[in-house]
Amino acid sequence: MKAHFQVITLFPLMIETLFGEGVVGQARKKGLIDLSLINPREFTEDVHKTVDDRPFGGGDGMIGMAEPLWQAWQKARAQDSETELIYLSPQGETLTDTLVKELALRPRLTLLCGRYGGVDQRLIEKTGAREISIGDYVLSGGEIGAAVLIDTISRQIPGVLGHADSAVRESFAGGLLEAPQFTRPREWQGLSVPEMLMSGNHAKIEEWRRWVSILVTLAKRPDLSKLEELSRKERQKLRQFFEGLSGQDKVLLGLEDLASEELDG
Ligand SMILES: C[S@@+](CC[C@H](N)C(=O)[O-])C[C@H]1O[C@@H](n2cnc3c(N)ncnc32)[C@H](O)[C@@H]1O
């Protein structure tokens, strides 16, 4: 499967710069991802290439005019008849790992970036654009949001990440955060890497990581994972595992504030 992202933006260089390198840059070179940039200024007829105007009814900020954005959308559709339009907007549904995975099933997307005061609402109405927000705050423009979508969706495209299972283990996969990672040296500033990771026993390491993952999720993001979802037996095992961790490992893994009693659910 190949992804095709088209970005409607007044600042194409912002997107091009970000995705000339790194994981997405490599995937573009491998032909796994196509990225097209469409500047609404292409579709203006006046000498100043005007793409925005003052809001009717008064107020601050300039509003993106519907017509150049509409023309830009027509170009996107001409380039890919199956593309779907997303308007990056603080008012949209909030991006989550689940939504990223949903979008990655059909990664033929046109991302419309607003600027200044936003865009004329009639454009959203006429195009039926899906509104997506990257969080409850206001950005100066949609480019950073578009970049977040391109980056997160691309990671789900087969072949984009080096190892087939890289995205499977990462945080949020299976509703859990990833277990903390360590690399050389084995000792650093008086802290040593948890013994288990040195054991060379891959099955045991996998099991250790799974328990740590559950504990870390309970400690950092209790909203993501509920103890009640574990069977009574699993909860007992989890408690035993937690009690078996050394004091240093508990600190290192950020679990020092968890109490065994909390693990009884
Ligand atoms: C300054 S904002 C406009 C905000 C608009 N006046 C409002 O209050 O809803 C300019 C552009 O940034 C983008 N933007 C701002 N916050 C965003 C967010 N949280 N997620 C995605 N895009 C956002 C949108 O494309 C928006 O049109």
Side-chain angles (χ1 to χ4, degrees):
M1 180 178 35
K2 183 172 174 159
H4 186 192
F5 300 107
Q6 306 195 68
V7 186
I8 300 177
T9 170
L10 291 171
F11 301 107
L13 207 56
M14 283 191 181
I15 302 288
E16 190 51 59
T17 306
L18 265 179
F19 296 123
E21 300 186 84
V23 168
V24 177
Q26 291 303 322
R28 286 173 73 191
K29 283 182 197 132
K30 282 195 232 161
L32 295 169
I33 293 173
D34 275 345
L35 180 61
S36 321
L37 302 162
I38 304 174
N39 191 335
R41 285 199 203 280
E42 286 175 37
F43 309 100
T44 53
E45 279 162 15
D46 63 315
V47 63
H48 300 295
K49 297 190 176 298
T50 308
V51 287
D52 52 18
D53 209 335
R54 301 163 85 90
F56 278 124
D60 295 330
M62 299 291 274
I63 306 300
M65 292 159 75
E67 186 57 24
L69 294 172
W70 172 257
Q71 295 293 337
W73 168 229
Q74 298 318 306
K75 179 170 179 180
R77 285 213 290 198
Q79 292 182 155
D80 180 355
S81 59
E82 290 190 31
T83 192
E84 284 175 34
L85 185 63
I86 290 177
Y87 171 47
L88 278 306
S89 159
Q91 303 183 9
E93 58 190 301
T94 310
L95 191 66
T96 59
D97 188 56
T98 309
L99 182 48
V100 166
K101 285 178 179 144
E102 181 203 315
L103 295 169
L105 296 174
R106 274 198 85 268
R108 298 174 77 167
L109 302 170
T110 298
L111 309 172
L112 168 62
C113 306
R115 276 270 148 189
Y116 316 113
V119 305
D120 190 317
Q121 184 64 30
R122 291 170 295 181
L123 189 268
I124 310 300
E125 182 56 34
K126 274 280 177 199
T127 56
R130 181 172 185 177
E131 294 185 54
I132 294 183
S133 160
I134 61 160
D136 285 346
Y137 38 75
V138 178
L139 299 161
S140 314
E143 288 75 11
I144 292 174
V148 169
L149 276 178
I150 293 170
D151 190 278
T152 51
I153 295 171
S154 297
R155 300 172 62 76
Q156 304 294 327
I157 307 296
V160 168
L161 293 182
H163 299 284
D165 68 347
S166 300
V168 174
R169 280 163 184 268
E170 276 178 328
S171 294
F172 303 110
L176 296 173
L177 301 180
E178 188 182 55
Q181 302 273 30
F182 303 89
T183 187
R184 280 188 280 197
R186 198 170 168 157
E187 289 270 335
W188 181 76
Q189 297 209 2
L191 297 175
S192 30
V193 173
E195 273 306 310
M196 176 56 77
L197 297 176
M198 300 297 165
S199 68
N201 183 333
H202 293 294
K204 282 223 145 78
I205 291 175
E206 273 309 300
E207 197 190 344
W208 184 92
R209 283 193 165 135
R210 187 177 121 73
W211 290 124
V212 170
S213 225
I214 296 175
L215 290 167
V216 167
T217 310
L218 288 170
K220 287 187 174 164
R221 290 289 306 273
D223 56 309
L224 287 180
S225 172
K226 312 264 172 296
L227 266 179
E228 303 85 75
E229 286 162 11
L230 296 177
S231 68
R232 174 172 278 280
K233 212 167 158 203
E234 278 183 311
R235 266 182 272 167
Q236 271 170 3
K237 275 196 176 169
L238 183 68
R239 185 176 172 154
Q240 271 170 14
F241 175 84
F242 178 69
E243 288 172 351
L245 287 172
S246 71
Q248 190 199 292
D249 281 359
K250 280 185 188 158
V251 172
L252 208 52
L253 300 170
L255 304 175
E256 69 274 29
D257 293 333
L258 266 190
S260 315
E261 304 77 61
E262 290 176 49
L263 301 178
D264 288 336

